[in-house]
Amino acid sequence: MEVRTCLLSAASVAFSAALVAAELPILGFGGVPTREVSVARYRQARDAGFTHLMQWAADAESLRKYLDCAQEAGVKLLVNLKQDVDPVPVVREFRKHPALGLWHLGDEPDVPRMAKMGARARAIQAADPDHPCYLNWFGVVNSEPARWYGAPDYRAYIAASLKAIPTRLLSFDKYPVARFDLKAPKPPYRDVPGLVLNPKWYETLEIVRETSRAERKPFWAFALSVAHHIGDRIVYPTPTEAQMKLQHYSNLAYGAQGLQYYTYWQPVPPGPFGYHDAPIAGDGRPTFVYDRVRRVNRELQARAFVFVGADARDVWHAGGEVPPWTRPLDPKALPARVRALVVDGGAVVSHLVNGDAAYLLVVNRELHRDVALRVELEPGCRRIREDGSAVPVDAHAGEYVLGPGAAEIFRL
């Protein structure tokens, strides 16, 4: 028995070591203020697990400095150039810089703005075919779609964007953990009662996943990393590790190929939304949210080999009441090597295929309680633990208790 255990452990280590080279793109939206850009600042972001940062650039001289600093720190930049100038000369000058990641087109455009963005994207891609243009969509809004989208519904909005703007990468934002009422508590929002998970988020994920697979274009998705409010109607709380993991593991369950945080640096001044508790405070010091993000990113990157390049073949929801627009779990549709799966609460269940490997991902989507997962798999399947190591499933009792946002992964 001891010899067998040692052999299995060695095989598990070899399996994990062969795959840890994969790295998920993780973007800090908002990035570092231009006055603060330095190698040290970019290294600070890298230490928290960010591979990409958004960066505004007023001119070519500034951009060269930012890219050189990013290269030394080991991060890539999502470059946002002035919208009122021709981007082509700058794009041609920097298209071969090792720290260049993507060219930023805009954020949450409505349909009337898309024609101008499309022309800009075509000019950029003609000058630099190697780096994608980045455009971020709205998610499904709770009301008044025509006002937000300039289109009658979300599918029409997405279709208009795909027609007008030639991007190779899709992105959307929708922040699902919130409190909705007319008597929102006052900040700071660190222990907010009445938080719910907005079902429009999963509707958005369904449509974006469908679009991504049909168009053969990868998508990136967000988690919220800064507390704020919208009037006295909506409160977005200071993010916990569980809330951020719930968002990111759900994004990955739907096939996301890049993860993003809004926002990295706390906006200064906080403005009408009252931004606070971002990973980096307005004065440049890391906060306790930075520490939370760092721990979450370490776990995600330890398991990145599961997700980088994976196709979300099927996504279901378990639990008595599943979110609208999603598919309830059908045990008969599970992959062949899954003999049984029972969850005593709300969960996202995803069948991921990555090359010749297949995985089962189960995410606890309950905000406020643990769920118990019982899964029976055929011999030879492995469990991918939080640190990325792989162990035989038959070495475990077969019941797993997942805290809010936690995920279990099994290699089939």
Side-chain angles (χ1 to χ4, degrees):
M1 180 63 70
E2 291 180 0
V3 172
R4 179 174 180 272
T5 301
C6 291
L7 288 173
L8 286 171
S9 298
S12 298
V13 170
F15 171 76
S16 296
L19 294 169
V20 292
E23 186 173 46
L24 273 166
I26 300 181
L27 169 70
F29 201 90
V32 177
T34 55
R35 68 183 183 280
E36 293 281 352
V37 170
S38 67
V39 175
R41 282 299 188 194
Y42 284 159
R43 281 181 176 156
Q44 186 177 53
R46 185 62 177 165
D47 184 59
F50 290 93
T51 64
H52 290 66
L53 286 171
M54 177 189 238
Q55 189 62 64
W56 297 85
D59 51 49
E61 182 180 355
S62 299
L63 180 55
R64 184 178 301 282
K65 171 193 171 183
Y66 305 155
L67 287 168
D68 289 346
C69 289
Q71 181 181 1
E72 189 171 343
V75 298
K76 292 184 180 293
L77 298 184
L78 166 61
V79 176
N80 196 333
L81 300 172
K82 281 187 173 182
Q83 294 294 311
D84 56 353
V85 299
D86 180 7
V88 171
V90 175
V91 170
R92 285 177 176 160
E93 183 174 353
F94 294 102
R95 65 189 181 91
K96 294 187 180 297
H97 198 290
L100 177 62
L102 309 97
W103 298 106
H104 188 272
L105 291 176
D107 187 45
E108 298 179 340
D110 58 14
V111 171
R113 293 167 56 200
M114 288 179 177
K116 186 175 181 180
M117 284 188 175
R120 188 175 179 86
R122 284 186 286 274
I124 290 173
Q125 297 290 232
D128 178 9
D130 297 324
H131 295 92
C133 287
Y134 170 101
L135 171 72
N136 183 56
W137 293 329
F138 289 108
V140 175
V141 294
N142 293 351
S143 62
E144 300 183 274
R147 172 194 166 198
W148 292 101
Y149 307 146
D153 56 42
Y154 194 62
R155 289 185 184 276
Y157 169 66
I158 297 303
S161 177
L162 293 171
K163 183 177 180 180
I165 306 170
T167 57
R168 304 199 307 269
L169 176 72
L170 312 179
S171 174
F172 81 94
D173 63 62
K174 183 73 178 177
Y175 306 117
V177 181
R179 172 173 167 168
F180 300 87
D181 62 21
L182 297 177
K183 295 181 180 179
K186 294 181 179 180
Y189 304 132
R190 296 178 183 174
D191 187 18
V192 179
L195 292 175
V196 298
L197 197 63
N198 188 340
K200 295 288 186 182
W201 176 51
Y202 283 116
E203 180 183 348
T204 308
L205 277 167
E206 292 281 342
I207 295 172
V208 172
R209 170 181 171 268
E210 175 189 308
T211 303
S212 172
R213 299 185 83 230
E215 297 290 325
R216 298 183 178 273
K217 296 179 180 181
F219 78 90
W220 292 13
F222 277 86
L224 188 64
S225 54
V226 62
H228 62 288
H229 65 92
I230 299 178
D232 58 0
R233 298 179 297 109
I234 304 174
V235 163
Y236 293 107
T238 298
T240 65
E241 291 180 47
Q243 291 164 4
M244 289 186 286
K245 287 202 290 186
L246 190 158
Q247 292 168 79
H248 277 328
Y249 275 124
S250 291
N251 293 333
L252 293 166
Y254 275 83
Q257 292 298 295
L259 303 176
Q260 305 171 82
Y261 288 88
Y262 180 81
T263 176
Y264 173 67
W265 198 289
Q266 183 173 302
V268 178
F273 299 127
Y275 288 112
H276 61 282
D277 288 348
I280 302 293
D283 62 7
R285 291 181 297 173
T287 70
F288 63 94
V289 177
Y290 174 95
D291 298 326
R292 292 176 179 179
V293 167
R294 186 173 184 268
R295 288 190 290 268
V296 170
N297 285 345
R298 284 194 169 189
E299 179 179 322
L300 294 169
Q301 291 293 13
R303 291 167 146 182
F305 62 85
V306 173
F307 305 110
V308 176
D311 174 35
R313 291 287 173 86
D314 289 289
V315 184
W316 307 275
H317 284 253
E321 184 177 348
V322 302
W325 302 95
T326 66
R327 291 193 299 158
L329 178 64
D330 178 2
K332 295 180 181 179
L334 287 166
R337 303 199 74 189
V338 183
R339 293 175 175 172
L341 188 155
V342 179
V343 187
D344 73 347
V348 186
V349 181
S350 176
H351 174 207
L352 299 165
V353 177
N354 196 341
D356 60 358
Y359 298 92
L360 184 74
L361 169 66
V362 182
V363 184
N364 177 3
R365 60 173 169 80
E366 299 279 358
L367 274 178
H368 305 295
R369 73 176 186 91
D370 295 351
V371 300
L373 164 68
R374 290 188 175 274
V375 60
E376 182 181 350
L377 305 172
E378 290 185 359
C381 296
R382 296 169 180 263
R383 178 191 180 203
I384 309 300
R385 296 186 293 191
E386 292 177 355
D387 63 0
S389 61
V391 294
V393 293
D394 56 10
H396 197 277
E399 181 183 34
Y400 307 86
V401 177
L402 286 70
E408 287 290 343
I409 306 173
F410 305 95
R411 187 177 193 267
L412 306 178

